[in-house]
Amino acid sequence: MARSRKQKHIPQRTCVACRTKRPKRELIRVVRTPDGSAVVDETGKQGGRGAYLCPSRECWQKALSGAMLNKALRVSLTEEAKARLSDYAASF
């Protein structure tokens, strides 16, 4: 009798803007830094409180214009931090 191979667990995360569940590797992680700012975590392994966003300009605009990202990261983002994240989103 052949054994069925157990499928590898794929972690799921939810986009804070559109609330869509996707595999972790398909989303982009934003991390709150100790100084209260936010940076994009390219590796997905940086320490700190994180929030996930789809790689679409619409989700990033929605998250940055409202309080979604602030609430998820539990911080009030400065205009400078929002501008940096907006510049990153412009590359999509």
Side-chain angles (χ1 to χ4, degrees), residues 12-54:
Q12 300 286 306
R13 298 293 182 262
T14 303
C15 173
V16 297
C18 67
R19 308 301 298 165
T20 304
K21 274 193 169 185
R22 299 171 98 178
K24 179 180 173 181
R25 295 206 179 255
E26 289 181 14
L27 298 172
I28 300 168
R29 185 170 186 245
V30 179
V31 180
R32 179 184 68 199
T33 60
D35 68 352
S37 184
V39 294
V40 175
D41 179 12
E42 298 282 348
T43 64
K45 296 180 180 182
Q46 188 173 345
R49 180 147 188 94
Y52 291 87
L53 288 164
C54 293

